[in-house]
Amino acid sequence: MTENAQQQPPAPNTELPTQYAPADVEGPLYERWVERGYFEADEKSDKPPYTIVIPPPNVTGSLHLGHAFEHTLIDALTRRKRMQGHEALWQPGMDHAGIATQNVVERELGKEGKSRHDLGREAFVERVWQWKGESGGQISGQMRRLGDGVAWSRERFTMDEGLSQAVQTIFKRLYDDELIYRAERIINWCPRCLTAISDIEVEYQDDDGELVSMKYGEGDDTIVVATTRAETMLGDTAVAVHPDDERYKHLVGKEIRLPLTDRFIPVVADTHVDPEFGTGAVKVTPAHDPNDFEIGQRHNLPSLTIMDEHAVITAHGPFQGLDRLEARSAIVAALRAEGRIVAEKRPYVHSVGHCSRCKTTIEPRLSMQWWVKVGPLAKAAGDAVRDGRVKIHPQEMEKRYFDWVDNLHDWCISRQLWWGHRIPVWYGPNGETVCVGPDEEPPGTEAEGWRQDTDVLDTWFSSGLWPFSTLGWPEQTESLAKFYPNSVLVTGYDILFFWVARMMMFGLYAMDGTPPFHTIALHGMVRDQFGKKMSKSFGNAVNPLDWMDKYGSDALRFTLARGANPGVDVPIGEDWVQGSRNFANKIWNATRFALMNGATVDGPLPDASAMSATDRWILSRLNSVVAEVDAFYEDFQFAKLSDALFHFAWDEVFDWYVELSKTTFQAGGEAAEVSKRVLGEVLDVTLKLLHPVVPFVTETLWTTLTGGESLVIAEWPTDSGFRDAAAEKEIESLQSVITEVRRFRADQGLQPGQRVPARLTLDGTPFAAHEAAVRQLLRLQPEGEGFSATATLPVAGATVALDLSGTIDVAAERKRLAKDLAAAEKEKAQANAKLGNEAFLGKAPDNVVEKIRTRLAKADEDIARIEAQLERLPQA
């Protein structure tokens, strides 16, 4: 904490405005937190560490609901741990986002009529850095709007000097350990971005295509294959069938003519082929399909690349120079002219991969790339979870994790971009290959015939180092010693396989078998209120800044936290955010009432013997909630802890304790002073419990109530162990009485403010200490002369006798209820008649029958309710 943070703040205001205005509070309050250094973490501190890294947002990005959701959860965890006395570090930073950032800058150049090639590599990279300085990272300001308690002085960028050194160091180590190699394999290729892309950057969607069945070979050596990519037939080097398929045994080992070419290709037997699918024969194009590549490797087939990097046909012949889609139509037409087309199906809906950045259809392509041999790294990542060093929460997600790491293929880490970590490998004039570490000089100059590899590393390579590179690795820094491993990783289940697995592999490898975090806490994705994925194309995407502007950041945060069940998607709608805004207003108004009535935190709590049952009840419930919230936090049950706090604060504190205490405050005296101190204590603790999720409104209220410096550095509440089962039972009974009488009043059509004479007894005695509060809450006046108990309600051991004479027209009310009863009984009779009719039941659809059963149940409920109302009415 900075020296400034140690200074005593000015005395707080003793009054609150009549209304809470988030826009007036949030910005200045957040800047005050940052200026005082509350979010910074000191590696020299003797406090126990608590570390979380931010999943680094793209430098091109802006805050979306997914960010807001995840950041709310992380912020709640770190704020609580800081209040519990930990040296809490929430490590911020951004990812350089290779493809996305390069695309942004290239589009800007396009507006100037230029391309990156016009600038050249060095000047283009300088242009990207310039864009980053001027326009990149706007999300940082938006994170402040949300209230993210990150250590801003430690902010990192995956292309900064320290992280670049970490990338080069681990590349060199992996290379020297023969865990990085260069090979020609099938990769996902984007013809627009002109680079290999990772699996996570491929988005699959159902497209309307065509399925064409075509005939290869001649006469008895004819075989039919089907494809959705007819253009790739130019690169076929075999046809494959299953070894046990009797239909094609006579062809295995033979060569058949490939149409439209002068080539003959073999028929091979391979167990990969499903004899039950289609014709049981598949064309094999090793250079343009990952499965075909594997077949080609097994049978030593040549790999013919028939498209260039722009997906333009390069094979010799009439189709050369055509785009892949143009070639598809032309080739089908040529095959049709030769009588080779057996069947055509259009449209043929099938799943097609698209580049997540530019939406171009992905082309599988054989390419020379750099790869990580993941076998031993993935095994270590699996073992760390299996032996309990790393916990996955919720536990049922472990299976998905193991399914992935136990079946990982080698990872393509090279990208054909200019923006990113350039691969630290040099090629010499005589075929030499030299990998250079961060403190080593290149082996030679360009003039001497040496050149550096032109590719850069996959963005996931550098972000995979995030938990330790941000702390100074490969240097053995004090921060690394203090804050590694991370306490918990909070991230979405959708990147469990990509980012999480890579961090596990690299962390265990680089940090001598110490995993990067103790716990992986997985959450779901934010969806709209109907459970549908949010998307601009669906028209249901929401800018969280709009909701924060309208309802306040606390309202958005509370809504997101209240929907956060571990590993489960989170629906959210604007009505729910508005409801959370109402909750913030309720907290504000209740605290304002408490301050106006002298609630205080001064001095110790009075002895329980001096408290009323109401005071003892709320303190007993308060301690139970403290214990409950702590247990939910430890289990990452954000929805349950938020719901528990909502109902305790709104229902028990504001709607019951405050209301029951009003008569005590009005009466004054010793009892009032005790209740003022109890109310102050309850608000003090409740605001602390709420603070990690709704930091702004709670900070404003708590500093006003207590005069304390800040909730950010306040002490987290602990369960004192105080419980009073007798008081809890007494108040629960009292609540039952009040609730039942309110329901009766409403049933009888009494106005909320209408006063009614009543006699109150509990086990045959007056209500004593609670009578004044009950009478005030229920608008019940003393019985007085001529009192006649025209309605009597026995509830929870109490008896409430009411004199309704003169307050309602009993005869008219009985007539109205009798009419309603007759209607309900008629409805019941009709429903019973239909359900007793076998002919009806035999013909009616299930949903119609179920609807009739629902009507019957509703009629039964109405009859019981109306009869109870009639019984309670005085005789006319």
Side-chain angles (χ1 to χ4, degrees), residues 458-765:
D458 178 12
T459 297
W460 295 102
F461 191 94
S462 51
S463 61
L465 313 180
W466 193 246
F468 52 95
S469 64
T470 51
L471 297 173
W473 187 91
E475 301 298 325
Q476 297 305 307
T477 63
E478 289 182 293
S479 288
L480 190 64
K482 176 75 173 180
F483 295 113
Y484 186 92
N486 289 193
S487 306
V488 61
L489 173 75
V490 179
T491 191
Y493 64 72
D494 54 320
I495 56 173
L496 173 64
F497 313 134
F498 305 102
W499 186 45
V500 179
R502 281 149 175 71
M503 286 190 291
M504 285 285 283
M505 291 191 295
F506 282 166
L508 289 159
Y509 175 79
M511 299 300 293
D512 301 320
T514 302
F517 17 72
H518 297 301
T519 302
I520 301 168
L522 298 170
H523 58 72
M525 300 171 66
V526 179
R527 296 181 178 273
D528 71 12
Q529 64 197 84
F530 306 107
K532 190 174 181 180
K533 181 180 178 181
M534 286 192 172
S535 167
K536 290 181 180 178
S537 60
F538 295 156
N540 62 350
V542 172
N543 183 346
L545 297 171
D546 292 341
W547 281 354
M548 286 193 281
D549 288 343
K550 194 170 182 179
Y551 303 111
S553 298
D554 283 332
L556 177 64
R557 289 172 60 118
F558 192 73
T559 305
L560 291 166
R562 203 174 178 193
N565 291 296
V568 179
D569 288 344
V570 182
I572 185 173
E574 185 169 0
D575 288 350
W576 305 342
V577 184
Q578 186 174 357
S580 295
R581 189 272 312 273
N582 295 343
F583 179 51
N585 289 343
K586 184 79 171 181
I587 302 169
W588 183 272
N589 292 334
T591 306
R592 187 167 175 271
F593 166 85
L595 288 168
M596 291 170 60
N597 283 274
T600 179
V601 296
D602 294 337
L605 277 172
D607 189 83
S609 61
M611 297 180 189
S612 67
T614 309
D615 294 331
R616 297 195 307 277
W617 159 73
I618 197 63
L619 289 175
S620 182
R621 288 292 304 127
L622 177 68
N623 279 285
S624 294
V625 169
V626 169
E628 191 177 13
V629 167
D630 276 334
F632 286 144
Y633 262 115
E634 295 305 314
D635 199 33
F636 304 101
Q637 297 281 358
F638 295 98
K640 290 182 178 179
L641 72 89
S642 299
D643 211 47
L645 286 170
F646 174 87
H647 287 294
F648 175 71
W650 191 307
D651 299 343
E652 298 186 78
V653 179
F654 305 149
D655 279 359
W656 282 109
Y657 181 72
V658 168
E659 292 300 320
L660 288 171
S661 300
K662 282 182 178 178
T663 53
T664 305
F665 293 148
Q666 290 167 1
E670 183 69 23
E673 295 306 310
V674 170
S675 291
K676 289 175 184 178
R677 179 65 187 89
V678 170
L679 178 55
E681 181 75 11
V682 170
L683 287 175
D684 176 19
V685 173
T686 302
L687 292 170
K688 287 176 178 176
L689 293 174
L690 283 165
H691 176 73
V693 180
V694 284
F696 294 107
V697 67
T698 53
E699 172 87 338
T700 306
L701 295 173
W702 185 84
T703 52
T704 305
L705 172 71
T706 68
E709 182 181 343
S710 173
L711 265 178
V712 180
I713 56 171
E715 187 175 343
W716 182 255
T718 57
D719 176 9
S720 70
F722 177 79
R723 299 290 190 279
D724 193 323
E728 289 195 36
K729 184 177 180 181
E730 182 176 331
I731 300 304
E732 285 170 9
S733 296
L734 189 63
Q735 290 170 330
S736 297
V737 171
I738 293 171
T739 301
E740 187 60 29
V741 175
R742 281 175 171 167
R743 184 181 296 118
F744 176 77
R745 287 180 57 109
D747 287 344
Q748 306 311 315
L750 295 174
Q751 295 300 314
Q754 191 172 354
R755 304 191 69 82
V756 178
R759 178 187 299 131
L760 311 179
T761 56
L762 179 60
D763 294 328
T765 63

Side-chain angles (χ1 to χ4, degrees), residues 102 185 301 371 377 563 628 669 675 772 781-782 814:
Q102 181 157 317
R185 297 255 184 101
L301 300 174
W371 304 81
L377 302 174
E628 191 177 13
S675 291
Q781 63 193 45
R814 281 190 173 277

Side-chain angles (χ1 to χ4, degrees), residues 799-851:
T799 302
V800 180
L802 303 172
D803 183 354
L804 300 179
S805 58
T807 58
I808 61 172
D809 185 335
V810 176
E813 187 65 14
R814 281 190 173 277
K815 186 176 181 180
R816 182 184 69 81
L817 289 173
K819 183 178 179 181
D820 291 347
L821 181 61
E825 288 174 336
K826 181 179 179 181
E827 176 74 3
K828 178 178 179 178
Q830 291 175 341
N832 273 327
K834 287 186 176 181
L835 293 174
N837 185 336
E838 293 297 333
F840 171 77
L841 295 176
K843 295 178 181 178
D846 290 345
N847 65 316
V848 173
V849 175
E850 185 59 33
K851 189 174 181 180

